[in-house]
Amino acid sequence: MGITMAQAMHSFMSNSAEMCYFAADLTDGSFDITPCEFSKKLFDTDKNPISQLAVSDKIHPADLALVSAFCKDLLSGEEQSCLDEHYNIDFRINMSENAEPDWRWATMTTLIAKTEDGRHVSHTVCHIRLMNSSELLTKTIVDSFTNDKHPSVFASNVQKLLNDKSGRQLAFMQFDIEKFKLINAKYGEDKGTEILNFITNGLYTVCTDEQVHLRLSADVFMIAFLFNTAADINRLIGLIEERLGRYEDIEYRFVFGVHIVSDKTLPLRKMGDRAAMARQSIKGNALNNVGYYSDNQENKLISRKYIEDRMNYALEHGEFVMFLQPKCNISTGGIIGAEALARWIHPEKGMISPMEFIPVFEQNGFIIKLDEYIWEQACKAIRGWIDSGIEPVPISVNISRVHLTNDSFIDSLDRLVEKYNIPKKFIETEITETTENAGTEEMIKKLKARGYMLLMDDFGSGYSSLNMLKSTPFDVIKIDRDFFSEFMLSDRGKKIISHTISMSKDIGLDLVAEGVETKEQAEFLHSCGCDVAQGFYYSKPVPLSDFDKLHTT
Ligand code: C2E
Ligand code: MG
Ligand code: MG
């Protein structure tokens, strides 16, 4: 079949000096080249079969990987979801007959015939010829202006996808090479560049005309495409991995982020950003290299960047405010203390929850500054009460784990207590005891030795364990809100709460239950022997002036 087809082609076409034909019959693996001037010049032979090596030697090293990936795919005869009925690929071939190479741009057009079921490639006919001068000129212009280099072309092509009426969905996908810096370091930057060029060019063979691609930066690529089902997305990812995931003998791993566009009115930049967020979200994940965007991610990421840009300004401009949440005696309902909780009151965004900013500050270290600021506000409040003749109640302040690496925080606390000249018993300290900071026990003991009351925060939250109670320097345990509310749901859970309370009392620890929201919960705790509760049932955290009203009435 192969020979017949090649001969047929040959008889149709003139035996030009600058073109030749291949035919491959993938049903029996035969591969023939039409003997002609050009093929002889190209491959030093007009005999069939020609060796792969002879072909490879003639192709420019920078284009070789692309051509071989393409041929490998073609010859495998596997289902080619993205392969059109005909296909064009450009590469440089060496037309020199001596040692000095003469690289000339050639273009290869491939026609494929599929098996009857349309799933496999059965035959291909390839036609290689040198580009003529006008094609070369066009290529130069196109190269500088194709969608992989030119965002505006990308944008106008995406616009077509947005206007698509076929009912398919639009996705933005970004991918990059994991640990690309290591590849550069190991194989050299030139190799790194070759790999990136290979991928850039390779995207032309992987993507259809409708799959619009753009090289965003060194190793970040983006594709916008229409799809019907998740399988279409996976297929495209599979194809990219298979064809472009290896260059020569260098293997690397891609990380993909996908944003399925639900709001087509979003600016394109935003659609791309969301794909980027999805990609970032799974960086370093050994099991999964494809992340999907979800709204949550954006909220998290936006606030993180925003928070970091604004935190110093916010502290200097009094945007952080201490709120106080009462701790109440369950039997009398009277306020016997308070916890100081940070609030960020933003002039435009309103109140930002500590759940959003505390984890960020714990990571970047800013928590040290914020904590000290809140501690100072607590000391000030106590001083204020004393000065205005109000009976002070102790305020507990949160000590982030970040402080526990260095005992200088105890000096800071001492300085504040001295500065405001208040009895130490009015400043209590809350520390979340976890297995990770078990090694910081020394620090906690020092804090106690300096006269501070210690409260173990979030007891039962999963970070703490009964084991910690064995030789703990803590005075009070605060039963975690989530632990408490979850265990309250079953009789078994209630028993555990009840026993935890009696056990703690037995070993001489006091208890505060956090997150008490209902009368029933308060009554249950009381029946178990817990005397102090903190929670919305009594009061939400409030500004100092409101606390004063609660406290004095
Ligand atoms: P935490 O120290 O365990 O504080 C108790 C949290 O439970 C507070 O959340 C409080 O508003 C909330 N809460 C109290 N009662 C109820 C209730 O009945 N129902 C519900 N649903 N929630 C209740 P908040 O203020 O959002 O603070 C969250 C966490 O952020 C705190 O947990 C604490 O770990 C941290 N945090 C807050 N302010 C500071 C601070 O100034 N420094 C440090 N290091 N951490 C802080
Ligand atoms: Mg606390
Ligand atoms: Mg707590």
Side-chain angles (χ1 to χ4, degrees), residues 5 26 67 77 102 111 121 191 316 380 544:
M5 189 182 280
L26 301 174
V67 178
D102 171 20
L111 291 153
V121 180
K191 215 20 124 198
E316 281 156 23
K380 247 190 202 168
L544 179 60

Side-chain angles (χ1 to χ4, degrees), residues 325 339-343 353-355 357-359 362 367 370-371 374-375 397-401 403 430 432 457-458 478 480-482 514-517 521 534-537 539-541:
Q325 185 173 34
E339 176 176 4
L341 292 159
R343 293 288 179 269
S353 154
M355 307 297 242
F357 58 81
I358 299 280
E362 288 193 325
I367 192 70
L370 178 67
D371 271 358
I374 297 293
W375 302 343
V397 294
N398 288 287
I399 313 264
S400 164
R401 274 168 281 160
H403 291 283
E430 294 195 9
T432 307
D457 207 350
D458 302 335
K478 293 190 79 179
D480 179 60
R481 178 177 37 148
D482 293 336
E514 273 187 330
V516 176
E517 293 183 343
Q521 289 175 344
Q534 175 185 340
F536 294 172
Y537 174 59
S539 165
K540 290 196 167 182

Side-chain angles (χ1 to χ4, degrees), residues 17-18 34 55 121 124 232 237 273 359 362 373-374 393 396 415 450 507 541:
E18 293 193 336
T34 319
V55 180
V121 180
T124 71
D232 296 339
I237 289 174
D273 285 351
E362 288 193 325
Y373 179 80
I374 297 293
V393 290
S396 60
R415 263 198 305 275
R450 297 258 203 119
I507 57 173

Side-chain angles (χ1 to χ4, degrees), residues 26-268:
L26 301 174
T27 53
D28 65 7
S30 61
F31 180 62
D32 296 288
I33 187 160
T34 319
C36 65
E37 286 294 306
F38 184 64
S39 67
K40 193 172 169 203
K41 210 162 158 191
L42 203 54
F43 305 118
D44 292 331
T45 178
D46 55 1
K47 300 260 181 329
N48 279 312
I50 49 166
S51 81
Q52 229 176 17
L53 198 67
V55 180
S56 322
D57 268 4
K58 290 287 178 176
I59 298 175
H60 195 285
D63 302 329
L64 189 58
L66 178 64
V67 178
S68 33
F70 173 72
C71 292
K72 187 174 148 248
D73 255 26
L74 206 62
L75 295 171
S76 75
E78 287 302 306
E79 179 185 8
Q80 302 297 320
S81 59
C82 295
L83 215 66
D84 282 335
E85 301 304 308
H86 62 90
Y87 197 83
N88 246 325
I89 176 170
D90 301 338
F91 52 92
R92 280 154 290 182
I93 47 179
N94 183 7
M95 294 302 290
S96 163
E97 283 168 41
N98 53 47
E100 191 62 35
D102 171 20
W103 294 115
R104 309 271 291 274
W105 276 102
T107 181
M108 175 165 88
T109 306
T110 304
L111 291 153
I112 63 167
K114 291 191 174 174
T115 49
E116 262 173 33
D117 60 7
R119 292 176 57 81
H120 298 274
V121 180
S122 68
H123 303 91
T124 71
V125 178
C126 304
H127 164 213
I128 306 180
R129 62 174 178 76
L130 291 185
M131 284 187 185
N132 61 33
S133 57
S134 105
E135 282 169 325
L136 275 175
L137 182 64
T138 312
K139 177 172 168 48
T140 316
I141 296 168
V142 169
D143 273 358
S144 65
F145 207 70
T146 40
N147 58 39
D148 77 332
K149 297 189 180 68
H150 217 288
S152 66
V153 177
F154 175 82
S156 80
N157 285 333
V158 171
Q159 206 53 50
K160 289 179 205 149
L161 303 184
L162 282 166
N163 298 335
D164 181 80
K165 297 277 180 286
S166 68
R168 289 171 296 174
Q169 278 185 279
L170 174 65
F172 268 61
M173 179 162 87
Q174 280 197 10
F175 67 97
D176 69 346
I177 299 178
E178 191 173 61
K179 304 201 180 93
F180 182 64
K181 283 201 185 93
L182 288 186
I183 295 182
N184 267 341
K186 190 166 168 196
Y187 301 98
E189 287 197 5
D190 286 350
K191 215 20 124 198
T193 309
E194 269 178 42
I195 293 175
L196 295 177
N197 287 337
F198 162 63
I199 296 168
T200 310
N201 295 331
L203 280 175
Y204 285 92
T205 74
V206 168
C207 296
T208 63
D209 288 349
E210 263 194 336
Q211 295 171 328
V212 193
H213 49 104
L214 174 73
R215 178 166 169 188
L216 277 177
S217 63
D219 72 328
V220 182
F221 301 86
M222 182 153 74
I223 307 175
F225 60 97
L226 298 169
F227 69 99
N228 281 315
T229 65
D232 296 339
I233 301 178
N234 291 336
R235 204 171 302 129
L236 179 60
I237 289 174
L239 208 59
I240 291 171
E241 286 181 322
E242 191 191 308
R243 284 209 203 163
L244 310 177
R246 182 192 172 95
Y247 180 75
E248 295 174 347
D249 53 359
I250 306 172
E251 274 187 55
Y252 35 84
R253 186 173 180 253
F254 291 126
V255 177
F256 297 87
V258 184
H259 166 48
I260 295 170
V261 178
S262 51
D263 177 3
K264 289 193 174 175
T265 63
L266 278 182
L268 296 188

